Amino acid sequence: MTRVDSKSPPPAASPGKLMRLEEKLYNEYIQFFEKAERERRWNVFEDIPWSTIKTDASEETALCAETFLSVEMYLPDYVAGGINVVRKYFGQSWFQANWGYEESKHSLTLMQYLLRSKKRTDEQMFDLQNKIFDKVWDLPFHTARQMTFYGCVQEMATFVIYVKHRERAAAEGDDCLRTIYDFIARDEIAHTRFYQGVIKVLLEEDRAGTLADMAHVFANFKMPGVDLVPDYDSRILKMREAGIDRGVFIQKVYLPILKFLGVSRHEMLAAQKQALAARADAKAEGETPKLIVAPHLNGTPVAQA
Amino acid sequence: MTTMDQKNLLEMFKTVAGRVDKRDFPNVTAESVITELGIDSLSMMQIVGEMETELGVMIPDEDLVELVTVGDLCKKVGQRVEAGA
């Protein structure tokens, strides 16, 4: 069993173990990529029913789409940070490149929606873009394993949010927006499945260490737009009105992820105890929670990109 | 489930919540809405887990999402204790 503490460096993995691990991660990526190429590719210009776009959609609908777009627009930071933290691992770094391509389509599509529906002007889009690029998204975690699990939770949460909004668009008879959210949600759950596949492999290799990292990420998780997207708090209030809240997080994100990974709630809670205690200590002292040093895939923490 | 049992469970909740969140919850009642206590969803899962462990019961995952008030939680836990599960 791997012991996790904040003083001694994590043990290095043997070369044989690393080769086996890399082979498994490569297989996860090839399965993901093959399915994406065969079944999931879609075209921004041809597959969205742009001719049915509603120009009388509510401002609330537009604000939600703009919020999604804003979060997606930190793509340069996500790609740069994300790919550097896993660059030693072929399967994961090639996944990040593919992920960046798919996410870039999401932001382009949402931008097209806002412009074609006339809910926003070119000038407003440039203004938003400038505000967004004024701030930089920093990696919330600093090892490949923690970032992989962060990706898993974040993509699953994003999937749930897009599904909610897809249902809402369908109920409002907005076929164009429903199709957009449908394609994006499909991509997000595919990303989630890749991350889950990788985490399953990591659990097989080092269950205690992976559980510790999962607990740490859960305890310190926040969506990437927090503190970055302009007017984030007021935007989130509108999102919550559409049925996105903390209860949904437990029901649709936390519990399903554990179930898929074959981790029981009590096994997770045991690992979480330490992470939550550290967070509560930091909160009581008015500090930002410190990162727990946890074993990295190759035994060394990765420097922030 | 008697009123006394529910009172005991409420006291247990206060103790466990205090331990998990590292602060006191003196004014919590059965009617208190969990999210209004400033307890986030993850800490809440921890509190439920610790109560389950101490009492040797297990609340099904699907029941967890229905918990709104502290009384809801105490009732669910009490039901599992009575059922011996």
Side-chain angles (χ1 to χ4, degrees), chain A residues 71-244:
Chain A
V71 176
E72 301 268 10
M73 276 175 69
Y74 288 93
L75 186 68
D77 301 332
Y78 303 148
V79 170
I83 209 160
N84 277 320
V85 90
V86 294
R87 72 180 295 279
K88 284 185 179 176
Y89 308 99
F90 180 94
Q92 281 188 283
S93 48
W94 258 244
F95 169 81
Q96 285 299 323
N98 184 89
W99 178 89
Y101 156 69
E102 294 189 11
E103 297 293 333
S104 74
K105 267 191 342 194
H106 299 172
S107 49
L108 274 175
T109 308
L110 290 164
M111 195 182 288
Q112 284 294 307
Y113 166 77
L114 288 165
L115 291 171
R116 291 186 193 218
S117 65
K118 305 199 187 309
K119 303 307 291 184
R120 297 291 184 270
T121 62
D122 281 334
E123 198 176 40
Q124 285 172 317
M125 283 291 98
F126 277 119
D127 185 45
L128 178 70
Q129 196 173 309
N130 287 333
K131 279 182 185 162
I132 283 171
F133 291 157
D134 275 349
K135 289 187 177 176
V136 176
W137 178 82
D138 293 320
L139 281 182
F141 302 98
H142 302 296
T143 70
R145 192 162 64 192
Q146 289 175 354
M147 278 306 294
T148 300
F149 193 64
Y150 174 76
C152 175
V153 178
Q154 185 268 324
E155 292 286 317
M156 185 74 161
T158 308
F159 164 73
V160 170
I161 291 168
Y162 278 125
V163 166
K164 281 267 178 192
H165 284 264
R166 178 186 68 186
E167 288 165 3
R168 194 174 168 185
E172 289 170 2
D174 193 335
D175 193 40
C176 178
L177 194 55
R178 182 199 61 77
T179 307
I180 290 170
Y181 287 148
D182 199 28
F183 280 128
I184 298 179
R186 221 174 54 176
D187 287 350
E188 305 292 8
I189 195 65
H191 301 159
T192 307
R193 294 291 178 237
F194 171 79
Y195 285 126
Q196 284 177 325
V198 172
I199 294 289
K200 263 190 170 176
V201 169
L202 298 178
L203 280 165
E204 284 167 18
E205 296 289 324
D206 172 15
R207 192 167 184 90
T210 305
L211 284 171
D213 277 353
M214 287 167 62
H216 177 60
V217 171
F218 268 139
N220 297 288
F221 179 82
K222 60 181 181 182
M223 290 297 276
V226 179
D227 303 330
L228 285 178
V229 171
D231 311 316
Y232 189 81
D233 290 344
S234 59
R235 289 172 186 274
I236 280 302
L237 283 178
K238 288 289 171 200
M239 309 283 274
R240 286 200 178 131
E241 283 168 19
I244 312 297

Side-chain angles (χ1 to χ4, degrees), chain A residues 218 265-266 273 279 281, chain B residues 22 40 42-43 52 59 61:
Chain A
F218 268 139
R265 187 158 55 83
H266 278 262
K273 213 168 178 175
R279 190 183 67 173
D281 280 340
Chain B
K22 299 204 171 173
D40 70 22
L42 215 56
S43 294
E52 287 175 324
I59 301 173
D61 286 355

Side-chain angles (χ1 to χ4, degrees), chain B residues 16-17 21 24 33 36 38-39 42 48 79:
Chain B
V16 174
D21 232 30
D24 293 333
V33 175
E36 290 174 3
I39 298 172
L42 215 56
V48 173
Q79 284 169 352

